Amino acid sequence: GYDAPIAPFCNKTKAQAQAAACPNCLVYNTNEPKFCWKLIDTTDKKTYFTDLPQSIADIVFSNQKYIYTKVDCNSYCIWSVFELRKSKITNQFSENRVYLETFDTDTCSKLFVNRKVIHRETADTIVTREFTRKLH
């Protein structure tokens, strides 16, 4: 989501602002404080969200069977990671991909842009990761 320009929503009730936005949009007061959240799904997978007000978290997360709690925004970081697979046999790269990964505070303190690490190695492949951008 994003914070829409305030002009079309001035001097309107929440219901009027909701109707003026779109049927599937969620509306909240931009003065409402925002928090960081940790979600745990039914498979124990953890996901983190930043800058989300309580009212939106209650709507979105309570309907999804998540356990969600406010967390310290400095207790995790989110990085864009570039993963490269290199064949030891041909010396060629294949199956490169970019994805987002979340880390805890301890790991966050050890990461920086352009850091490269060997993620795993098999008899014929080396998988490396390069940390390209810190998003949170």
Side-chain angles (χ1 to χ4, degrees), residues 32-89:
E32 188 177 340
K34 295 179 181 179
F35 304 98
C36 292
W37 301 89
K38 177 172 73 174
L39 279 69
I40 302 175
D41 70 12
T42 55
T43 65
D44 283 338
K45 179 183 175 200
K46 295 176 189 166
T47 307
Y48 292 85
F49 288 85
T50 59
D51 295 328
L52 199 62
Q54 177 86 47
S55 63
I56 299 298
D58 288 343
I59 292 167
V60 175
F61 304 143
S62 65
N63 297 332
Q64 303 297 322
K65 299 180 183 174
Y66 291 111
I67 297 170
Y68 63 104
T69 55
K70 289 179 194 172
V71 295
D72 179 353
C73 293
N74 295 316
S75 66
Y76 66 96
C77 61
I78 302 171
W79 278 85
S80 176
V81 180
F82 182 57
E83 187 174 88
L84 300 106
R85 293 175 179 271
K86 184 177 181 181
S87 169
K88 292 179 179 179
I89 299 163

Side-chain angles (χ1 to χ4, degrees), residues 81-83 99 101 115-117 119 127-131:
V81 180
F82 182 57
E83 187 174 88
Y99 62 98
E101 189 162 350
R115 176 156 188 199
K116 294 176 186 164
V117 296
H119 180 61
V127 179
T128 60
R129 289 183 172 178
E130 180 177 351
F131 295 86

Side-chain angles (χ1 to χ4, degrees), residues 82-96 122 124-128:
F82 182 57
E83 187 174 88
L84 300 106
R85 293 175 179 271
K86 184 177 181 181
S87 169
K88 292 179 179 179
I89 299 163
T90 66
N91 220 22
Q92 299 294 312
F93 290 99
S94 65
E95 299 181 46
N96 301 334
T122 65
D124 61 351
T125 306
I126 297 176
V127 179
T128 60

